[in-house]
Amino acid sequence: MAEHEAAREQALDAAERLFYGRGIQAVGMDAVRDASGVSLKRLYRLFPSKEALVLQFLRRRDERWRQALARHVDAYTAPDDRLLAVFDRLHTWFCEPDYRGCAFVNSFGELGGVSAEVADQARRHKQAFRDYLAALVEDSGLPAELTDQLFLLAEGAITTAAITGTAAPALHARTAARLLVRAHRQHAPAVPDSVP
Amino acid sequence: MAEHEAAREQALDAAERLFYGRGIQAVGMDAVRDASGVSLKRLYRLFPSKEALVLQFLRRRDERWRQALARHVDAYTAPDDRLLAVFDRLHTWFCEPDYRGCAFVNSFGELGGVSAEVADQARRHKQAFRDYLAALVEDSGLPAELTDQLFLLAEGAITTAAITGTAAPALHARTAARLLVRAHRQHAPAVPDSVP
DNA sequence: CAGGGGTGAGAACGAGCGTTCTCGCCCCTG
DNA sequence: CAGGGGCGAGAACGCTCGTTCTCACCCCTG
């Protein structure tokens, strides 16, 4: 029954491409069928409803997005490089040809007011990203207040890149991040008193 | 024919409340009629189509949003206070009970991939906000690069406040903004060599 | 080879929605 | 007072879409 898994993946691939590119409500199940080659009957056996497909799409996207970020960050070892690598990853993301912002922000805007589950997915995704940033900040020996500041820069860059259609916001966010890191170091300098 | 204008305003008020609160596609013209008390026939005489109503809603919201911001900023005279007042304004906005993020970001996420006009409205709105920030930055004698950095902070705060449902992002953005202003002043200090 | 259980393609169904039409009512003019 | 033109309420229409059903087909077992 690997057939089953393959169809599931095809369906989710198509759903992701369509939902992300055109918005969720603008995409019918017929469009998912046409794009995936998975018949309606099978679609409804794999996912009990469109809402289930949407939530699955969001779950998978969250996982993959965070994996891609971590993979990029893990190419660096120096804590400060790792912090800034987040913004490099944003830059390459923004350069993808059909970049259209954060799927979770978009879904939240479209359905957050009407579907509690979608709103929850968005909250969880952002929370996970913030937690990840917090760990990087702590590894750098920087104060925790920096986390939210960097998070806001990243978040702002994500939506600004989408709306303006350019990747420059990643660079602006990166410079701002460097300035903030430096500012925080000046008030509570180098720090590392590890291994007491 | 003040009747005409009154109905128009009622319709736009209801449309704004509904579109902003539930998303655009989740709100039918019937809902606008019920909430506004303006009959369907009249609605369609006032606005040739739902899309026209949506665009009008966005135009009006852009105008009012920027007016409210300017009014708040104009309560201050010192250039640096005016800059930071932007984030205070965000804070009071986030505290509104049915705050649900930026109507333009939400509309862009929902319809930007499918309606060029909606995408355009979002672009224009963000551009206008950025221009406004740029003027404040220039009035403070600060370097232009600061503009995009503050813009990203504001933008990030707007969506983060929506998704987390708290107003704290405004405070985080404000502190980050203060740090960035200070950082920029250290590299190219006080400046004002006005009136040569 | 017979038969049946699952499959795919597409029709069908029912609800929702954008838009228009009908019809009775009211007010305004001659 | 007579008549008509615009108005509101809501029905109606046509389309889309989520979901299910039909039916012919294929493959697999006895």
Side-chain angles (χ1 to χ4, degrees), chain A residues 5 12 40 42 44 69 72 75 83 87 130 132 165 168 172:
Chain A
E5 271 317 300
L12 282 169
L40 276 181
R42 199 123 111 141
Y44 276 94
L69 174 60
H72 188 91
L83 249 187
F87 297 92
R130 208 207 83 106
Y132 183 72
H172 302 145

Side-chain angles (χ1 to χ4, degrees), chain A residues 152-168:
Chain A
L152 295 185
L153 285 173
E155 217 50 49
I158 289 169
T159 84
T160 303
I163 290 182
T164 64
T166 69

Side-chain angles (χ1 to χ4, degrees), chain B residues 72-83:
Chain B
H72 188 90
V73 167
D74 285 345
Y76 300 83
T77 54
D80 282 32
D81 290 349
R82 289 167 61 84
L83 249 190

